[in-house]
């Protein structure tokens, strides 16, 4: 059973042609032709998620893991606008997301007809391409060109595209066979490695005695990991990684804030690199941003296959290529240099780590202590999804298992769809997926649990400190007389949500409770599980401040 509408057939055929084999559908009537067609296509998997915001982040999580485009489909009107947060995240995180919105025909827009808004180009500031189709046989070739271009751009440039599809009534007529369509291939400019002057870069590199490499959000890549090992053995190179970089080495600094929090001006000057190389996505640490914006390197080279990121306001060269391809070639031109740059800072790193361990050994139940317990108990070879705000920042202070793959929505750093993304990732990866979240992030995206596609081995850990703890950490809010508007304190728990959505539920109020809960938490019960850990809101900030003072 397929839609009779030729435009709907065209969209379905285009998706199949360009490898979109997963479509997340939210209910409606205007999108009926596409629902019918996608659901009956033998080579396209369709998944139903009612809430459009959750649906888009769910699709984002699937695309994150599969590293290929996933489509979302909605009806007309405000339904489409609920996709925007996930579209913005996809745009800044380079995740291919195909947005299919159905619409009223143009003659019904702005005349008082129900469920209509101005849908064309509605995402123009955060989209790679917008294709506005027309339901008219005279536009068949143009429609095919537009949707073909949109889908090829999403695949090759790795980002969101929007296809707006107007349907006039009737909407439910069907036939038993799809027509055949032709979609022209568009020429995409390929990155030419021969255009990079490796000799120029290597001469500058080989002459410098202080070089720094910072790795932001990065999908796990064994080859890139091997190439970075080469730089870790160079005493003139200091590698700074973040939890989301998925890179590990015993000679890398994996907790940036821990290292640089208490440095004075003289030490910052000593740490200042002559050359800075950056690659990967967004960087979490605000302290490293502040440091390098003030103590700028002589050369900052950003490596990315798509666009430049001038995070430190001193970008000197944008090298447009995949990082793995750059280093594969660059390594042949450079030589190691014997300096005290890396050894000195690794010694300081180790001193901070020792103090970190000492501090935790005497620590009472709190956010900080909970993170130690939680991160130690995540099963090896799991996928770890982390929500934003204080959660990702606490995680950055710990050394986590090299066997874990770590993901976080750092494109826009929002809390709005973290749970939905984690569920999509768990659905796609099939591996044990553990999601650590704060209470505000969890309740904000609670509709994420309204999803029949959640695997039974999915685990959520909610660290509930009764509000937005980040606003007691960052300077500013706590000095005002309106802290409640920032922190939004509450007395909510996840217990009844767990019952409603059929999750197993465990709770803990102390360090001992946490350890007891973990004896059952990862056991297979045939259901996904939520562990809610309550921590003392008023003590968490004090403990964190004491920590940074202790490790000075």
């Amino acid at each position: 059973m397929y839609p009779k509408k030729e435009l709907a057939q065209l969209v379905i055929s285009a998706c199949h042609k360009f490898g979109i084999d997963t479509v997340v559908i939210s209910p409606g009537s205007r999108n009926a032709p596409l629902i019918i067609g996608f659901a009956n296509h033998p080579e396209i998997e369709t998944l139903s998620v009612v809430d459009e915001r959750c649906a888009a982040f769910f699709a984002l999580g699937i695309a994150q893991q599969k590293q290929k485009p996933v489509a979302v489909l909605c009806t007309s009107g405000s339904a489409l606008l609920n996709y925007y947060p996930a579209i913005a995240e996809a745009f800044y995180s380079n995740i291919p997301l195909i947005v299919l919105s159905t619409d009223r025909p143009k003659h019904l827009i702005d005349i008082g007809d129900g469920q209509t808004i101005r849908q064309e180009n509605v995402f123009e500031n955060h989209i790679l391409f917008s294709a506005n189709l027309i339901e008219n046989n005279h536009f068949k070739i143009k429609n095919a060109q537009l949707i073909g271009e949109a889908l090829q751009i999403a695949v090759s440039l790795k980002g969101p595209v929007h296809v707006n599809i107007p349907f006039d009534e009737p909407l439910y007529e069907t036939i038993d066979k799809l027509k055949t369509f032709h979609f022209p291939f568009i020429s995409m400019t390929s990155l030419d490695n021969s255009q990079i002057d490796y000799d120029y870069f290597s001469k500058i590199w080989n002459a410098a005695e202080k070089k720094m490499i910072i790795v932001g959000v990065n999908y796990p890549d064994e080859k890139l990991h091997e190439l970075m090992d080469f730089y870790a053995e160079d005493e003139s190179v200091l590698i700074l990684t973040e939890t989301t970089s998925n890179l590990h080495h015993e000679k890398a600094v994996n907790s940036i804030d821990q290292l640089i929090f208490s440095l004075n001006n003289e030490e910052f000057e000593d740490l200042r690199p002559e050359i800075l190389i950056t690659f990967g996505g967004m960087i979490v640490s605000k302290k490293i941003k502040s440091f390098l914006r003030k103590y700028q390197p002589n050369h900052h080279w950003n490596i990315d296959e798509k666009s430049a990121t001038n995070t430190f306001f001193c970008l000197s060269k944008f090298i447009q290529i995949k990082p793995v391809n750059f280093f594969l070639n660059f390594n042949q031109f450079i030589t190691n240099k014997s300096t005290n740059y890396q050894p000195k800072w690794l010694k300081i790193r180790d001193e901070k780590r020792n103090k970190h361990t000492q501090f935790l050994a005497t620590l009472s139940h709190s956010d900080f202590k909970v993170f130690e317990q939680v991160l130690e108990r995540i099963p090896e070879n799991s996928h770890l999804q982390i929500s934003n705000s204080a959660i990702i920042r606490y995680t950055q202070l710990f050394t986590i298992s090299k066997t874990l793959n770590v993901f976080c929505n750092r494109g826009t750093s929002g809390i709005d769809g973290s749970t939905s993304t984690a569920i999509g990732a768990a659905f796609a990866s099939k591996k044990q997926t553990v999601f650590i979240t704060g209470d505000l992030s969890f309740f904000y995206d609670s509709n994420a649990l309204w999803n029949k596609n959640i695997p039974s081995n999915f685990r959520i850990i909610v660290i509930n400190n009764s509000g937005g703890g980040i606003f007691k950490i960052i300077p500013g809010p706590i000095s005002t007389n309106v802290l409640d508007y920032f922190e939004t304190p509450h007395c909510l728990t996840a217990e009844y949500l767990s019952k409603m959505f059929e999750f197993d539920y465990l709770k803990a109020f102390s360090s001992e409770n946490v350890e007891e809960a973990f004896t059952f938490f990862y056991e297979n019960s045939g259901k996904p599980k939520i562990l809610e850990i309550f921590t003392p809101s008023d003590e968490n900030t004090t403990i964190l401040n004491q920590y940074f003072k202790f490790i000075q």
Side-chain angles (χ1 to χ4, degrees):
M1 184 182 291
Y2 294 106
K4 186 176 181 180
K5 286 185 174 295
E6 191 168 307
L7 182 58
Q9 294 185 42
L10 175 86
V11 172
I12 295 160
S13 298
C15 287
H16 180 239
K17 171 76 173 179
F18 294 106
I20 289 81
D21 55 13
T22 304
V23 181
V24 180
I25 297 171
S26 293
S29 187
R30 192 61 48 170
N31 56 343
L34 290 175
I35 293 176
I36 294 166
F38 280 127
N40 282 283
H41 197 289
E43 295 181 46
I44 295 177
E45 179 181 40
T46 52
L47 306 164
S48 175
V49 178
V50 174
D51 184 316
E52 284 88 3
R53 189 184 72 190
C54 296
F57 277 108
F58 175 67
L60 185 88
I62 298 173
Q64 174 201 86
Q65 293 300 310
K66 289 189 172 183
Q67 295 286 283
K68 61 181 294 188
V70 174
V72 287
L73 169 64
C74 70
T75 190
S76 64
S78 61
L80 174 62
L81 301 183
N82 289 292
Y83 284 160
Y84 212 146
I87 289 169
E89 179 63 34
F91 182 78
Y92 287 110
S93 289
N94 300 319
I95 295 176
L97 190 67
I98 313 295
V99 178
L100 304 176
S101 62
T102 52
D103 198 358
R104 257 68 167 173
K106 277 193 174 181
H107 67 273
L108 295 179
I109 307 299
D110 288 339
I111 65 161
D113 203 45
Q115 209 168 324
T116 60
I117 63 170
R118 300 171 189 176
Q119 294 184 196
E120 292 187 357
N121 306 317
V122 72
F123 306 119
E124 62 180 340
N125 285 334
H126 299 96
I127 208 82
L128 296 183
F129 189 84
S130 294
N132 298 299
L133 309 187
I134 298 174
E135 190 179 26
N136 187 312
N137 284 337
H138 295 297
F139 290 88
K140 281 194 294 186
I141 295 176
K142 181 65 174 176
N143 286 336
Q145 289 174 335
L146 283 172
I147 191 168
E149 186 173 0
L151 300 185
Q152 289 173 78
I153 286 173
V155 172
S156 61
L157 298 185
K158 297 180 181 177
V161 297
H162 176 208
V163 182
N164 195 57
I165 312 144
F167 289 134
D168 214 339
E169 297 181 5
L171 300 170
Y172 293 89
E173 293 181 317
T174 60
I175 57 174
D176 60 6
K177 190 176 181 181
L178 289 173
K179 290 184 178 181
T180 301
F181 299 92
H182 172 69
F183 302 98
F185 282 90
I186 61 171
S187 177
M188 292 288 183
T189 303
S190 58
L191 301 176
D192 186 359
N193 188 55
S194 65
Q195 294 177 354
I196 298 173
D197 190 348
Y198 289 102
D199 188 55
Y200 164 81
F201 288 113
S202 63
K203 284 179 180 177
I204 297 173
W205 180 269
N206 289 334
E209 297 194 352
K210 297 196 298 183
K211 283 101 74 171
M212 182 180 288
I213 297 175
I214 301 179
V215 190
V217 174
N218 188 64
Y219 193 83
D221 186 326
E222 285 188 22
K223 186 60 181 177
L224 185 60
H225 209 295
E226 291 174 14
L227 292 167
M228 284 297 99
D229 289 348
F230 174 80
Y231 292 88
E233 298 303 325
D234 186 338
E235 290 184 343
S236 67
V237 180
L238 187 64
I239 300 175
L240 306 184
T241 65
E242 296 206 300
T243 304
T244 51
S245 72
N246 289 297
L247 286 174
H248 308 271
H249 196 282
E250 61 182 10
K251 292 184 178 180
V253 175
N254 67 318
S255 180
I256 299 172
D257 288 0
Q258 192 182 82
L259 177 73
I260 72 174
F261 176 81
S262 58
L263 299 185
N264 58 37
N265 289 339
E266 184 180 346
E267 291 167 323
F268 275 132
E269 191 61 56
D270 193 37
L271 180 60
R272 182 209 299 253
E274 298 166 62
I275 302 172
L276 171 67
I277 288 182
T278 57
F279 67 91
M282 299 292 185
I283 294 167
V284 177
S285 172
K286 290 182 70 174
K287 299 188 190 309
I288 196 66
K289 294 174 190 174
S290 298
F291 159 55
L292 288 169
R293 286 169 183 172
K294 183 177 180 181
Y295 299 86
Q296 295 182 339
N298 299 328
H299 306 272
H300 174 202
W301 305 336
N302 179 238
I303 306 168
D304 190 85
E305 62 179 317
K306 191 172 177 182
S307 59
T309 306
N310 188 15
T311 303
F312 311 108
F313 312 143
C314 58
L315 183 65
S316 52
K317 291 290 183 181
F318 169 47
I319 305 171
Q320 190 172 11
I321 190 174
K322 287 183 178 180
V324 69
N325 292 340
F326 173 80
F327 290 113
L328 200 59
N329 289 279
F330 191 52
N331 289 11
Q332 301 173 40
F333 289 79
I334 62 175
T335 55
N336 288 3
K337 199 176 190 74
S338 180
T339 75
N340 193 42
Y341 185 56
Q342 185 199 86
K344 175 181 178 177
W345 288 103
L346 290 185
K347 182 181 177 182
I348 295 172
R349 177 205 67 177
D350 292 342
E351 290 170 356
K352 303 274 188 180
R353 282 182 175 178
N354 289 335
K355 289 183 177 180
H356 171 93
T357 303
Q358 293 170 30
F359 184 83
L360 284 167
T362 60
L363 193 58
S364 59
H365 182 64
S366 58
D367 281 354
F368 209 124
K369 185 65 177 178
V370 165
F371 271 91
E372 179 190 33
Q373 294 177 287
V374 165
L375 293 172
E376 282 181 348
R377 298 298 293 269
I378 296 174
E380 290 195 352
N381 301 306
S382 295
H383 281 199
L384 174 59
Q385 293 277 336
I386 305 171
S387 73
N388 276 300
S389 201
I391 300 299
I392 184 62
R393 286 171 172 80
Y394 270 112
T395 307
Q396 296 264 100
L397 297 173
F398 291 83
T399 299
I400 65 169
S401 169
K402 297 177 182 180
T403 70
L404 303 180
N405 291 337
V406 183
F407 303 91
C408 179
N409 285 350
R410 289 307 296 178
T412 60
S413 307
I415 67 168
D416 37 8
S418 297
T419 310
S420 296
T421 303
I423 290 171
F427 174 83
S429 72
K430 309 304 181 187
K431 279 191 170 186
Q432 171 74 76
T433 300
V434 182
F435 173 52
I436 306 174
T437 181
D439 46 299
L440 286 193
S441 180
F442 175 76
F443 292 123
Y444 194 98
D445 195 25
S446 59
N447 260 7
L449 308 184
W450 188 10
N451 187 329
K452 65 182 180 181
N453 306 295
I454 303 174
S456 61
N457 66 345
F458 181 58
R459 298 291 183 267
I460 298 176
I461 299 172
V462 182
I463 300 175
N464 190 339
N465 54 23
S466 305
I470 187 70
F471 293 106
K472 287 182 176 178
I473 297 172
I474 61 175
I478 201 166
S479 65
T480 72
N481 63 354
V482 289
L483 180 61
D484 282 3
Y485 287 89
F486 297 102
E487 188 187 12
T488 57
H490 63 85
C491 298
L492 301 175
T493 84
E495 184 170 3
Y496 295 102
L497 281 172
S498 301
K499 290 180 179 178
M500 183 166 73
F501 292 112
E502 298 185 328
F503 276 64
D504 283 344
Y505 175 79
L506 299 90
K507 58 186 174 183
F509 296 89
S510 67
S511 296
E512 293 73 23
N513 289 161
V514 173
E515 291 301 325
E516 291 167 6
F518 276 127
T519 61
F520 307 101
F521 188 59
Y522 292 111
E523 288 183 356
N524 182 13
S525 66
K527 288 183 179 182
K529 295 182 182 180
I530 293 174
L531 168 58
E532 187 168 23
I533 305 172
F534 298 88
T535 64
S537 177
D538 292 337
E539 296 174 28
N540 289 324
T541 307
T542 301
I543 288 171
L544 188 62
N545 290 333
Q546 289 172 346
Y547 167 76
F548 280 114
K549 187 176 181 179
F550 184 84
I551 66 169
Q552 288 186 71

